[in-house]
Each structure stands twice: as structure tokens, then as C-alpha cells.
Amino acid sequence: MAEKNKREENEEEISEVQPETQQCESPEQAEDGALISAKAEAEDFKRKWYSVTAEYENYRKRTASSRAQAYADGRADVVSKLFPIADNLDRALLSCADEATKKGIEMVVKSFEKLLSDEKITAIDPVGEDFSAEKCEAIMAVEAEEGEKSGTVKQVYLKGYEQNGKVLRFAQVVVVK
């Protein structure tokens, strides 16, 4: 029985030793495994770095664009508050009888028009053109006279203004029925 116990103990020792010998690698294999692992980790970090860099660049461009757009919108908003003043100047010019006063009002109107051109704002003047709801607001419809086509703009009541294709104020117009 002693021999049987010794044999069983030897088998247990052998079974314990065998898995260890199978798991042990040579130092060269361990270095190669570590090198491969380090290279894979470096590639992963490099890929993440590229991704974060690209995201940051996109964010920077987006914020610069939105900031520039907000600034332009703010400027257009301030200028659009001057439109009623220009309307009143146009009315004063039409009703002015005194030549010196008329000349002074014309100078103020020209400076306002220069301000508009500096801001790249153009007046919408659709007289004689087909009515377009994208740029005009019809406030009245009149009967067609001889030679007038239905749906055309006959008169502009209030000028409209646009900047870079964006309507700042719709032109209020009289349309032929």
C-alpha cells in the first residue's frame, strides 16, 4: 500500500508539473508576445488620437462657422431696424417741395444706401415681375388694366430687402388680379 500511495503522489506531482511546463514560454517568446501586445496597444492609441484630433478639428470649424453666422445675423438685425427710417425718408423726399431740404434728404438716403451696399444688402423691387411669395407679401390686389398680366406686381408699397439670398424684410406689394 505504501507503494500505491507513493505512485499516486508521483502521478499527482507529474500532473501538476505538466501544466506548468506547457504554460512556460521561452524568454524570446515572452518578449515577442510583449512586443506584439505593445504594438497593438500603440496602434490603438494612435487610432484614438487621430479620431480625437479629427473630432476637435470638426468642432473648431463648426463653432467658428456658427460664431460668424451669429455675428452676421446680429448685424443684419441691427440694419433691419433702420428700414422704417428709410421708408420715412423716401416719403419725405416725395412730399418735399423745398429744393434745399429735398437735396439734404437725398444725401441722407444716399448714405443709407451706401450702408446697405457695404453690408451687401439689396432692395427687393419686383415691379413688373411675377409675384413671388418667397420675396413679397401681397397687401392688395387690383383689377388688371389693358396690357397687364394677372399675377404681376404693379406697385411696391414698402421696399423689401435681402442679404445673400436671405430675405430680411419682405416687400409689401400691390398685385394685379
Side-chain angles (χ1 to χ4, degrees):
M1 270 207 186
E3 280 182 37
K4 190 176 182 184
N5 286 340
K6 281 187 177 180
R7 205 179 320 143
E8 287 176 5
E9 287 177 9
N10 282 341
E11 287 176 9
E12 287 176 13
E13 287 177 13
I14 291 173
S15 66
E16 290 176 5
V17 171
Q18 283 180 347
E20 290 178 10
T21 56
Q22 289 175 354
Q23 291 177 355
C24 286
E25 299 175 353
S26 69
E28 292 173 356
Q29 288 176 340
E31 287 177 11
D32 286 346
L35 181 63
I36 290 170
S37 171
K39 282 184 177 180
E41 190 176 354
E43 281 298 317
D44 187 45
F45 286 138
K46 186 177 178 183
R47 182 181 46 76
K48 288 178 182 176
W49 179 76
Y50 282 141
S51 175
V52 168
T53 303
E55 285 178 29
Y56 175 72
E57 189 65 26
N58 290 338
Y59 167 77
R60 191 182 62 76
K61 288 177 184 176
R62 235 184 356 262
T63 56
S65 174
S66 66
R67 187 178 25 213
Q69 184 63 41
Y71 179 73
D73 288 345
R75 288 180 64 107
D77 188 42
V78 169
V79 172
S80 67
K81 291 180 181 180
L82 298 174
F83 296 155
I85 297 169
D87 295 335
N88 290 334
L89 286 172
D90 286 340
R91 288 185 197 106
L93 194 60
L94 291 173
S95 66
C96 185
D98 182 32
E99 225 20 71
T101 306
K102 189 173 187 176
K103 189 172 184 177
I105 294 172
E106 285 174 346
M107 290 172 58
V108 173
V109 170
K110 283 182 185 179
S111 66
F112 178 73
E113 289 172 350
K114 178 162 180 12
L115 170 80
L116 293 179
S117 69
D118 291 346
E119 293 296 319
K120 297 177 180 59
I121 297 174
T122 57
I124 300 172
D125 187 19
V127 173
E129 299 176 7
D130 288 338
F131 175 78
S132 169
E134 294 173 359
K135 294 185 179 187
C136 301
E137 177 184 355
I139 59 169
M140 189 180 344
V142 294
E143 294 296 325
E145 295 177 5
E146 269 189 55
E148 290 182 332
K149 187 174 86 174
S150 177
T152 59
V153 176
K154 182 171 184 155
Q155 178 186 359
V156 175
Y157 182 72
L158 279 178
K159 285 184 192 177
Y161 296 94
E162 67 181 335
Q163 181 181 36
N164 299 324
K166 179 182 174 189
V167 176
L168 301 177
R169 182 172 85 175
F170 290 89
Q172 294 184 356
V173 297
V174 177
V175 181
V176 176
K177 287 186 187 178

